[in-house]
Amino acid sequence: MNIEKLKSAHKLLCEYKYELGKIEKGYTNRTLYINVGDNTISEKPVTQLMKDKFIGGKGFGLYYLWHAVTPKTKWNDPENEIVIGSGPIGGITQYPGAGKSLVCSISPLTGMPIDSNVGGYFGPLLKFSGFDALELQGKADKDVIIFIDGNKGTITIEEAPEEAIDSHVLGEQLTEMYAENEEDKRNISVVSAGSAANHAYMGLLNFTFYDVRRKQIRLKQAGRGGIGTVFRDKHIKALVIRFAGVKGNLNNADDQGKINRTGIKLHKEIHDFDAQQCRMRQVGTANIIEVMDQYDLLPTHNYKFGAHPDTHKISSKVFTGMITQNTPDGCWYGCSLSCAKAVDHFELRTGPYKGQKVIVDGPEYENAAGLGSNCGIFDPHDVLELNFYCDTYAIDTISYGTMTAFVMECYENGIINKEITGGLELNFGNADASLEMLHQMARGEGFGKLAGLGVRNLKRIFAEQYGGDPVFLNDIGMEQKGLEFSEYMPKESLAQQGGYGLTNKGPQHDEAWLIFMDMVNNQIPTFEDKAEALHYFPMFRTWFGLNGLCKLPWNDIIPASNKHSNEPAKIPEHVQNYVDIFNGVTGKNIDKEQLIVQSERVYNFQRIFNIRMGYGKRIHDAIPYRAMGPVTVEEYLSRADRYDGQLKELVGFNPEGKTTEEKMAALRSYREDQYQKLTDAVYKRRGWTMDGVPTIEHLQAIGMDLPEVIEVVKNHL
Amino acid sequence: MKVLKRKPELCIACHACESACSNTWFKEDNADKSCIKIKEEANKNVILSCTQCGECISICQVEAISRDKNGIVRINKNACVGCFMCVGFCPELAMFMHDEYIEPFKCVACGQCAKQCPTNAIYIEQE
Ligand code: SF4
Ligand code: SF4
Ligand code: SF4
């Protein structure tokens, strides 16, 4: 790697100097604006209104994005922004999961705001360098790198023609280039995309951290919604930040001791219980693969089924053997839950890096399920190879997995054929075909390029150009609002159908994961119970994104006190921890109810932002029938006893002597009706009209009645 | 290597060790700043102190903890980012935090406390 040569090809386009900031109680009170179209850089003050109403992180991101775009803005218009920020708690090193960056943009897949939560060091280092958030706007002519030196107070935009595009190479090159020496590498974080983000709508952003023990960079993904595609469309090759001097008190917290004690308490819990509970330190999120299979929840063959006899081949045990041991890693300092896993020295068998030994960041549950079981692929090496290439090419593994599963079902149903796929035999289980499609996506060629447009576009194209039945395509295409479903089978849990469908950005489980509460433990039997859960959990979980936090340390480790709690699903002791660290950092004095109101404001703002962009109403909350029940005879028969029983007990329809088609129709009308009733209950609980629009009274009650917000809502009431 | 050894059954909870330790390292008589702690429980006294087992070494993500040439487990304060994971993960509960400091502290087997112990409940041993 000839770094000098790469560097000497750089052309300086703009240099900006700034006063190093001071962080007070979690805020630098300043944000950074960079326009790569005209190479301007400026600073903006953080207003009291922003702090009061939007808190930080995703709140700031949505706020800036709202003011940057118009209702007509498309993802690839220059005014679209990518906003990156942490949040007031972000960057503390004592409480696990406090180093997240939140990224917001108008999504190529959905046409409305998307937000993504990502590890790696960029967000905290941005704050320590003096900025609560970074707005990127405009479009460069040629590929540029933006470098922020948070110790010197300089920012440069440099034309950078020669570096790699793919993240695993580019991240190393830039870490080497901008670090002053080996010791300094830990102070660098790079944000980059990859070659497939040049073509596909499901492009992601990789955020690095330097792993001092492996002496290599690690990649964490802002996966959902195609933000990497926007990044490449702006001709940004990378953002690089350097900040040396991370200590535990840089947030200038109001009460550091309180934060330390709360953090130590959780470290101790993780030390005592993780090995018996989730085994996050040992195997990470992949721990649940076989559990999902057991409960019939592991998406298999495009969500047709929830289990497969071959799941044991990609079980957590198999991956545990492949993950390099003894170095539990956090994606930011102080994360003792340490779900970040890696397989070292993985030899690639396909593609441009064939034969090289690489480090694969993963496997995570979503990857094993999406790239694996959902596509009928049960070889762990194939899952890792797909995982690696998705990451370095900058492709969201969830969208890729769900899209590939859809395409495979279309192929097996004859909607598309070898001629259309250019020879790819996209049967379930064909890992080679999936890999080749991914490589095509990176080259911008053939069927892979088309596939990169995502399920929503493919449904239309398959119907319009290849004569596919639009009704069937809509039933089996697992997307909503343009975003592909994440990897849980919601068919048998009405609450989770709502957890996917009644969301702001699309069917991602980060708002609510209620399957166990609903289906396994039967804790939320009525519509009102479900609606309460679909109010509380999305609000609670939104709060992580306002503060720069990770969700996992909330309920992937359970404190001893939970046994005696009357609301065990909420993990009350941990909720109190969050109240404590928020107050400890900011010096405010919120309680657990006010925490929810903080989220409600931003949540409703985002809903109204969707409405402003032409979405966000009841029709957009509809979900494909595959998410609700059996679309095909094959699916019905696979669970015939369960479905027959339900027809008898719940629907009052006697299945005796009826054809499968008749039974399917009866079940379908029942389940679709249930979803509508759930939607009514949830809208009511959230203070929305039956069309899904927040009412003015509700906005006033929660304190989100800003004039620009009311202006939008008025036209939809 | 030198290790501070304990015989809790001999401990009379006079807390002289805590004073000695905090005076040595923090120049004040303050049990909260001691690397050894005496906990008085119902019918016994418990001595919390480091066994130099080294488990905290691999816990630290930034390699701020290492064994020195004499086998003593030490913290490099410059590299430490104050996460206190080592505090939560020490099997002996012998890594400590005090609100006034952003790095943890622990026993380095200097032996000052043992000198003050009237019953030899703690003593330095070469292993
Ligand atoms: S639990 Fe995992 S994702 Fe969350 S902060 Fe820790 S290492 Fe990062
Ligand atoms: S501080 Fe604890 S973990 Fe570290 S060496 Fe001492 S006893 Fe072992
Ligand atoms: S507190 Fe310091 S020494 Fe202890 S684990 Fe964290 S960084 Fe390492």
Side-chain angles (χ1 to χ4, degrees), chain A residues 73 143 155 245 267 296 324 439 450 452 487 528 554 566 571 574 626 668:
Chain A
T73 300
D143 276 355
I155 300 163
H267 293 324
D296 208 12
T324 314
H439 296 313
L450 187 77
E487 309 301 330
E528 284 63 39
W554 160 56
N566 49 4
I571 326 280
H574 289 177
R626 177 57 62 74
R668 181 166 186 155

Side-chain angles (χ1 to χ4, degrees), chain A residues 529-705:
Chain A
D529 296 334
K530 288 180 183 25
E532 183 56 38
L534 284 168
H535 173 69
Y536 179 81
F537 290 102
M539 297 314 148
F540 180 68
R541 294 167 72 134
T542 292
W543 196 80
F544 294 124
L546 308 182
N547 283 288
L549 293 170
C550 171
K551 166 261 158 193
L552 300 185
W554 160 56
N555 71 347
D556 282 287
I557 179 77
I558 311 292
S561 66
N562 225 47
K563 274 203 280 305
H564 312 291
S565 148
N566 49 4
E567 292 183 298
K570 292 184 179 174
I571 326 280
E573 181 177 334
H574 289 177
V575 174
Q576 189 56 41
N577 287 354
Y578 289 112
V579 168
D580 290 342
I581 57 173
F582 182 82
N583 290 338
V585 172
T586 61
K588 292 191 179 138
N589 188 22
I590 64 160
D591 57 22
K592 61 181 201 278
E593 279 80 30
Q594 284 159 307
L595 178 156
I596 296 296
V597 178
Q598 290 184 336
S599 291
E600 263 191 291
R601 293 191 188 113
V602 177
Y603 193 90
N604 280 275
F605 181 83
Q606 188 168 1
R607 179 82 181 180
I608 296 161
F609 198 163
N610 288 348
I611 294 172
R612 179 174 175 243
M613 301 309 285
Y615 305 93
K617 303 283 258 311
R618 188 170 185 126
I619 51 163
H620 306 108
D621 285 345
I623 52 175
Y625 187 60
R626 177 57 62 74
M628 289 189 253
V631 173
T632 60
V633 171
E634 182 192 18
E635 285 162 86
Y636 191 95
L637 294 179
S638 76
R639 294 176 167 160
D641 288 348
R642 178 189 316 189
Y643 295 144
D644 283 355
Q646 287 185 359
L647 284 175
K648 232 183 289 174
E649 284 152 35
L650 303 173
V651 188
F653 177 94
N654 184 359
E656 305 285 312
K658 300 287 188 332
T659 66
T660 306
E661 282 75 11
E662 285 165 335
K663 292 193 280 185
M664 283 167 65
L667 188 68
R668 181 166 186 155
S669 74
Y670 171 74
R671 290 198 170 190
E672 286 180 337
D673 181 58
Q674 292 277 297
Y675 185 75
Q676 291 309 325
K677 291 198 170 107
L678 178 71
T679 305
D680 289 346
V682 171
Y683 285 179
K684 185 164 165 242
R685 176 62 187 88
R686 289 184 183 168
W688 298 353
T689 68
M690 286 303 117
D691 198 22
V693 182
T695 63
I696 291 177
E697 299 71 42
H698 182 65
L699 294 169
Q700 283 163 342
I702 60 173
M704 187 32 81
D705 49 344

